[in-house]
Amino acid sequence: QVQLVETGGGLVQAGDSLRLSCAASGRTFTYYAMGWFRQAPGKEREFVAAISRNGETTYYADSVKGRFTISRDDAKNTVYLQMNSLKPEDTAAFVCASTYAAFGGTYYYAPSDYQYWGQGTQVTVSA
């Protein structure tokens, strides 16, 4: 089992920045590819960003490309999501996820590809 705990959410104004953290425990972190998803009220879960297990490959949703950056610190078993130039439409519960990856450079963007999920952290962006 892998446990994931997200922190860093909050209430900010449009144009502000936030950095979300997702701390993992339970299994060898370096075996897992990681991703961030978000879900707004009344909407389906939406892919945000993904990073491969070796950290060399990242992938972003078009809606956040150029504004968000995903990274990982294997020494701390933590994945981050740096969010800049936040917009009101970014308001959502942000959830991190992990999945065992056989190959170092592979990333995943479908929710069904992920095995473990955190509880989420709320991000609210006011206009």
Side-chain angles (χ1 to χ4, degrees), residues 7-21 36 67-70 80-87 90-92 94 121-126:
T7 56
L11 172 63
V12 297
Q13 293 185 330
D16 285 351
S17 298
L18 276 177
R19 188 177 79 157
L20 306 183
S21 300
W36 284 97
R67 300 188 298 123
F68 291 9
T69 303
I70 188 171
Y80 302 98
L81 185 68
Q82 177 66 44
M83 306 186 295
N84 299 329
S85 303
L86 282 162
K87 304 175 181 180
D90 293 318
T91 295
F94 281 72
T121 185
Q122 179 67 34
V123 172
T124 303
V125 184
S126 63

Side-chain angles (χ1 to χ4, degrees), residues 2 4 15 18 20 31 46 60 64 70 72 79 96 106 114:
V2 173
L4 303 171
L18 276 177
L20 306 183
Y31 289 171
E46 174 190 23
Y60 298 91
V64 306
I70 188 171
R72 62 189 295 156
V79 63
C96 76
T106 305
Y114 285 86

Side-chain angles (χ1 to χ4, degrees), residues 111-123:
S112 59
D113 287 328
Y114 285 86
Q115 299 168 288
Y116 304 102
W117 295 83
Q119 293 298 309
T121 185
Q122 179 67 34
V123 172

Side-chain angles (χ1 to χ4, degrees), residues 32-37 47-61 65 70 72 97-111 113-114:
Y32 289 79
M34 304 295 294
W36 284 97
F37 292 78
F47 168 76
V48 175
I51 188 166
S52 60
R53 60 177 273 188
N54 63 11
E56 294 180 1
T57 308
T58 58
Y59 183 68
Y60 298 91
K65 200 174 297 182
I70 188 171
R72 62 189 295 156
S98 68
T99 187
Y100 175 79
F103 302 101
T106 305
Y107 60 83
Y108 303 88
Y109 55 86
D113 287 328
Y114 285 86

Side-chain angles (χ1 to χ4, degrees), residues 4 22-30 34 73-79:
L4 303 171
C22 173
S25 62
R27 294 284 176 90
T28 304
F29 184 67
T30 52
M34 304 295 294
D73 185 338
D74 291 345
K76 296 182 179 180
N77 289 357
T78 299
V79 63

